[in-house]
Every structure is written in C-alpha cells, then in structure tokens.
C-alpha cells in the first residue's frame, strides 16, 4: 500500500525543480512565497523522505525510461533505505527548517481567522479525514476481494450502448442514454431488468462466500450489519445451550457424588449408630 501511495506521489511531480541541493552547506527556498491570508492557508511541507523522492525521481526516470512509475517508486524507496546517515541528515535538517517555518506561518494564518472561519476550517478538515478514511477502506476491500455490487438494469443498458451513444463528453452520453432508456418499452426493459436480477443473485452468493472467509480470518467487522446481528444471535444461542449442558452435567455429577457418599461404609455405620441410640 505504501508503494502504491508513493507511486501516486511520484505521478504528481512530472516536472521537478530541486528545492534542496545536497551538499555540506545546504540552502532552503522559502516555503511560503505568497502573502498569508484567510483565503490562502499555508501548505504542509514535505517530509525528508519525500524531499529525497522529489530529488531522485527525474534521475531515476532518465536512467530507466521503460520502467513503470511503481517500479521507480520501489527503486527510490530502496535507495533511501541504503542512503548513508550523513546524507539523510541533510534532508531531515531541511525538512525541520521548513516545518518550523510552517508552524510560524500557520500561527499567523489562524490569528487572522474569525470564529466562524475556524469552525468552517475544522469542518473542512473533518470531511477530508472522513474522505481519506473512506478511500482507505475502499482500497482495503478491493485488496480483500470484496465482490462488486450488483448492477441495475439501466447500468447494464448503459454499458452495452455507451460507445455508440450520442454526445462528446461522458455527461452528454449518459444524458442521452438515460433518455433512450426512458423511451424503451416495458418488454425491452424487461431483458435488462432480468439481467439485473441475475446479477443480484450472483452478488448475494459471492458475498455469502466472502463473508464466511472474512469470519475465518477474524474480520467480522466487514460483515454486513444484518448478518452481524444474526451471527451475534446465533453465538448467544450457542452459549446458552453450552451453559445448559454444563449445568445439567454439573447437577448430575453432584447427584452421583452424593449417592456415592451416602452408600459408603462410613456413612452407613454412622447412620446405624444413630438409629440404635434412638
């Protein structure tokens, strides 16, 4: 996953200027060149590692023109791992300077914000975190092989006719296809609706198998809520049954033990003595 993220990061830097020159006496360009205002929040500076990536990416691409971005990312990651500590410290020192500058600029930026802007900024950050979390979960589900959701009748119709649909842009094509879908007769739609029903059956069968696999690997949190409730109910019932069985066995054991004790010679002799005294 880390390599994939690095690949996307590399793709974001098609043309690169060296912010940091690796030498014994380095100089750092000022990170924030624009005037700070409430409409222009400071950007978080790069870490030492991504500074190294930014420096090395054009070099590796020039040396390996036929290699994919992902492979270049792996090569750079290995190069960073093997980089001498003294050279790493150069990048880390520059990153530290810019982090300090970022903190100062951020303090100035926040001081200019009104209470309403501060609330809006917090909400924006919350939404970004939620979006990142959703993206991470989506990637995780893809890696775990979660089945694709079933398609609707219109989805199937659109996929079959998208190439020859009228319109230049994707939006135009979809709009025209939707109008065509609405104009179809009930009998014409029925074919696609039946395919959609078949896809629902496929999805439920695949999901059932997938959820069983997730339970086996300890990922019950990925099971659909309704199935999770059924599973909890089933587990609770099984626990109650086990408790009843154990309770019955315990009672039976106690009865047997008492029977043995009452039939022992010592108990019989004691009972005989008590009877004769009376």
């Amino acid at each position: 996953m880390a390599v994939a993220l690095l690949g996307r990061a590399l793709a974001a830097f098609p043309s690169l200027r060296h912010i940091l020159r690796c030498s014994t006496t380095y100089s750092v360009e000022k990170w924030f060149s624009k005037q700070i205002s409430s409409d222009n929040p400071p950007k978080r500076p790069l870490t030492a590692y991504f500074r190294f990536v930014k420096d090395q990416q054009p070099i590796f691409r020039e040396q390996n023109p036929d290699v994919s971005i992902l492979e270049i990312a792996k090569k750079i990651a290995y190069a960073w791992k093997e980089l001498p500590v003294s050279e790493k410290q150069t990048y880390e020192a520059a990153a530290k300077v810019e982090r300090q500058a970022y903190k100062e600029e951020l303090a100035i930026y926040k001081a200019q914000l009104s209470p309403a802007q501060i609330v809006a900024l917090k909400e924006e950050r919350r939404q970004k975190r939620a979006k990142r979390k959703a993206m991470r979960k989506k990637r995780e589900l893809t890696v775990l092989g979660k089945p694709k959701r079933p398609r609707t009748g219109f989805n199937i119709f659109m996929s079959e006719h998208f190439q020859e649909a009228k319109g230049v842009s994707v939006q135009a094509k979809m709009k025209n296809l939707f109008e065509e879908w609405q104009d179809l007769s009930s009998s014409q739609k029925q074919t696609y609706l039946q395919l959609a029903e078949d896809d629902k059956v496929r999805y439920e069968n695949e999901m059932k198998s997938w959820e069983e696999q997730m339970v086996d690997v300890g990922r019950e949190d990925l099971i659909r809520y309704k199935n999770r409730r059924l599973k909890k109910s089933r587990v609770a019932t099984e626990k109650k049954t086990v408790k009843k069985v154990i309770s019955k066995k315990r009672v039976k054991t106690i009865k047997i033990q008492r029977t043995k004790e009452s039939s022992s010679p010592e108990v019989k002799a004691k009972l005989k003595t008590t009877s004769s005294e009376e």
Side-chain angles (χ1 to χ4, degrees), residues 113-124:
L113 296 176
S114 66
Q117 287 175 320
I118 293 174
V119 172
L121 184 62
K122 286 182 179 179
E123 176 60 21
E124 182 182 352

Side-chain angles (χ1 to χ4, degrees), residues 2-200:
V3 173
L5 289 172
L6 178 56
R8 285 194 289 274
L10 289 172
F13 301 116
S15 60
L16 217 47
R17 294 182 306 163
H18 283 227
I19 293 178
L20 173 65
R21 299 294 180 184
C22 293
S23 61
T24 54
T25 58
Y26 61 87
S27 63
V28 181
E29 294 181 3
K30 185 172 177 59
W31 184 258
F32 306 107
S33 57
K34 296 181 180 180
Q35 183 180 359
I36 297 298
S37 69
S38 59
D39 295 328
N40 180 35
K43 294 182 180 179
R44 191 180 296 275
L46 295 177
T47 63
Y49 174 61
F50 276 99
R51 285 176 164 279
F52 177 76
V53 170
K54 202 172 181 183
D55 271 343
Q56 298 300 317
Q57 192 229 7
I59 299 172
F60 275 79
R61 292 189 72 174
E62 185 178 352
Q63 293 175 349
N64 306 272
D66 300 326
V67 176
S68 67
I69 290 177
L70 187 60
E71 288 300 317
I72 289 176
K74 291 180 180 179
K75 289 179 180 290
I76 295 177
Y78 180 76
W80 172 257
K81 183 179 178 181
E82 298 298 317
L83 196 69
V85 175
S86 58
E87 294 186 39
K88 279 187 180 180
Q89 287 176 345
T90 305
Y91 286 95
E92 289 166 357
K96 185 177 180 180
V97 171
E98 287 197 353
R99 275 200 307 272
Q100 184 58 38
Y102 169 75
K103 289 179 181 179
E104 293 172 2
E105 298 287 359
L106 187 61
I108 296 172
Y109 168 74
K110 287 183 176 180
Q112 298 178 1
L113 296 176
S114 66
Q117 287 175 320
I118 293 174
V119 172
L121 184 62
K122 286 182 179 179
E123 176 60 21
E124 182 182 352
R125 288 176 179 172
R126 187 195 66 77
Q127 290 179 0
K128 285 182 178 179
R129 285 195 298 270
K131 187 177 180 180
R132 286 195 297 268
K133 184 178 179 181
M135 289 177 67
R136 284 196 298 269
K137 185 174 182 180
K138 186 177 180 180
R139 285 195 296 268
E140 181 187 26
L141 293 175
T142 301
V143 171
L144 292 172
K146 184 178 181 180
K148 291 184 177 180
R149 295 187 65 82
R151 297 182 297 171
T152 65
F154 173 66
N155 290 146
I156 298 171
F157 170 79
M158 185 172 61
S159 64
E160 287 187 0
H161 299 86
F162 187 80
Q163 293 297 331
E164 65 268 17
K166 297 177 181 178
V168 178
S169 65
V170 174
Q171 291 82 357
K173 285 177 176 286
M174 290 180 66
K175 182 181 178 182
N176 289 326
L177 285 171
F178 182 69
E179 291 174 353
E180 289 180 24
W181 171 257
Q182 289 183 314
D183 291 337
L184 290 179
S185 63
S186 299
S187 58
Q188 289 174 317
K189 282 185 179 179
Q190 187 58 39
T191 303
Y192 298 100
L193 295 176
Q194 184 58 52
L195 289 172
E197 287 298 320
D198 295 342
D199 202 33
K200 282 183 182 179

